[in-house]
Amino acid sequence: MTTVSDSVHEAAEVLRRGGLVAFPTETVYGLGADAFDAAAVERIFAAKGRPSDNPTIVHLASADQLARVAARVPATAAALLEAFAPGPITVVVPKHPDLPSVVTAGLETVAVRIPAHPVSNALLASFGRPVAAPSANRSGRPSPTDWQATFVELDGRVDMILRGAPSMVGLESTVVYCAEDEPVILRPGAVPAAAIAEVLGLPVSAIEHGPGAAAADSVAAHSPGTRHRHYAPAARVQIVQRRGEQEDTQMSSGTIPTGQRALDCGYIGLEAPSPGIRFRLSMQCPSPEAYARELYGFFRTCEDAHISTIYCESVAEDGIGAAIMDRLRRAAAATSAE
Ligand code: AMP
Ligand code: MG
């Protein structure tokens, strides 16, 4: 039985008893357990159907807890946390030997972050210990960004859903590998690569995701999550390009259905869909930030409406645009393979 509650105190009690609590963060909702309770963390993998080789992110109330989970904190990781935490940044650092290996899927590194949502932060402060928490979706599905979507994903599989305001960012955190001299962005998020490079005073490379990307073994080993199917709704996802600027704001219509067929489809983007196309569901987002915040919810709305294909307009890959395009490519690749 899954309880839905507003009580941070009750949720902390559930964690103390070795239970599972889904809770809001500013990126997406997470599914948490006491990071030092190996049996509880194993239940996260079971509840999500998550492959055991995909490590979780350890959530901290503050940087004071770092020494409990990290063997050392490289200067790059310290600088990034100083600049962007609490917030949507995750640093990968050498793991503390006492942290159960199930948390890190057997890796010698641990991913840590300090979230920035009033409810997650109250829970972490009340519990007082590090919390292992991947996103609160069943494995391979889009992350939930509100408590209702979390309930749909996990009802009956977890002990409690701690209710709070929807996630403000809407996409998962930027993950930066900091365990070696050269930092590498393993997953783009709301903290953009340019801001990371500026803080570090170094050029920062990003691993390539998606179809056609050269997935070097060493990179895959750094970021096990990139090997798995991800972020895919039940509908097919197709990315559509905007036309060149001189051709006003119409989308390229090459792949977009017209007439009756569009009635079975959804559309999300920064531009309004072309006037001749009537989608069953469409959402025009006023900014890239709004696009990021709404994307997964729109996927779910389309699923509920049994939409066959969701057309997603591409955006410029700067700022949060890089994270939007990363998730769109993965969703498109996962849904086209079926
Ligand atoms: P999720 O919170 O569900 O988005 O999943 C956590 C993400 O962080 C996954 O993509 C993991 O592969 C990544 N991650 C967690 N721990 C590590 C680690 N030690 N090294 C590299 N990536 C990690
Ligand atoms: Mg996830």
Side-chain angles (χ1 to χ4, degrees), residues 15-235:
L15 292 176
R16 272 185 205 107
R17 292 198 301 268
L20 301 188
V21 176
F23 60 95
T25 84
E26 84 283 20
T27 56
V28 299
Y29 271 58
L31 175 58
D34 180 345
F36 283 90
D37 182 337
V41 176
E42 269 163 26
R43 290 183 55 220
I44 294 180
F45 286 83
K48 283 178 59 92
R50 186 175 176 95
S52 59
D53 65 349
N54 193 1
T56 68
I57 293 175
V58 175
H59 289 62
L60 306 179
S62 75
D64 297 346
Q65 294 178 325
L66 266 174
R68 298 205 213 170
V69 297
R72 65 184 175 87
V73 181
T76 48
L80 293 177
L81 291 176
E82 173 71 28
F84 302 116
I89 188 126
T90 296
V91 293
V92 176
V93 299
K95 165 190 175 296
H96 194 290
D98 292 349
L99 186 69
S101 62
V102 60
V103 173
T104 63
L107 296 176
E108 287 307 312
T109 52
V110 60
V112 293
R113 89 176 195 96
I114 303 166
H117 186 293
V119 176
S120 57
N121 292 42
L123 174 63
L124 292 165
S126 170
F127 181 52
R129 291 161 65 84
V131 170
S135 50
N137 49 283
R138 274 174 286 125
S139 193
R141 305 245 321 123
S143 303
T145 55
D146 58 30
W147 74 265
Q148 294 93 333
T150 305
F151 187 82
V152 169
E153 290 286 312
L154 295 177
D155 180 31
R157 295 166 175 257
V158 306
D159 299 295
M160 179 181 287
I161 293 169
L162 178 60
R163 188 158 49 177
S167 300
M168 303 77 113
V169 174
L171 297 179
E172 303 80 356
S173 57
T174 307
V175 179
V176 189
Y177 184 79
C178 297
E180 284 162 28
D181 289 345
E182 213 176 278
V184 179
I185 297 177
L186 300 181
R187 177 175 73 186
V191 177
I196 290 169
E198 194 181 322
V199 163
L200 298 181
L202 293 169
V204 179
S205 56
I207 66 164
E208 294 288 319
H209 294 300
D217 282 355
S218 64
V219 166
H222 283 180
S223 185
T226 60
R227 285 198 302 268
H228 298 290
R229 182 177 181 276
H230 257 100
Y231 317 114

